[in-house]
Amino acid sequence: SMKLLYFAWVRQQIGIDEEYVSPPKEVNCVTSLITWLRTRGPRYVKAFEDVSAIRVAINYELVDFDAKLNGDEEVALFPPVTGG
């Protein structure tokens, strides 16, 4: 299964900081993962309504939304870090 980690306001919207999921096999990249997560309920829709405000790391490495997934990664989803 895939481990998802949520940080900052993404975590606040969804209400948990991590979960294990088993997405359908057509979920093969970050974009399709987020599309699938939005089908899981209104909290996910709200958390991922503006993907420009989301950063993604796979196994601790920052990636783009077209990064491939094979289903056993640790995926972290978080807002961009702001300076200050």
Side-chain angles (χ1 to χ4, degrees):
S1 65
M2 187 182 292
K3 182 179 185 181
L4 302 182
L5 302 172
Y6 306 118
F7 294 95
W9 56 257
V10 178
R11 177 178 63 208
Q12 290 163 4
Q13 293 290 354
I14 295 172
I16 53 176
D17 56 6
E18 66 179 57
E19 66 179 326
Y20 288 88
V21 297
S22 298
K25 63 180 180 295
E26 59 268 18
V27 173
N28 59 6
C29 70
V30 173
T31 298
S32 57
L33 173 65
I34 288 177
T35 300
W36 176 73
L37 284 171
R38 284 190 190 120
T39 70
R40 301 185 72 212
R43 294 174 308 166
Y44 292 90
V45 172
K46 189 113 178 77
F48 299 116
E49 66 187 349
D50 179 9
V51 292
S52 69
I54 299 285
R55 295 289 176 274
V56 182
I58 297 175
N59 300 330
Y60 304 103
E61 191 173 324
L62 275 174
V63 297
D64 293 323
F65 280 74
D66 58 359
K68 295 289 177 238
L69 295 169
N70 61 28
D72 63 0
E73 295 86 357
E74 180 177 286
V75 181
L77 300 135
F78 51 93
V81 177
T82 53

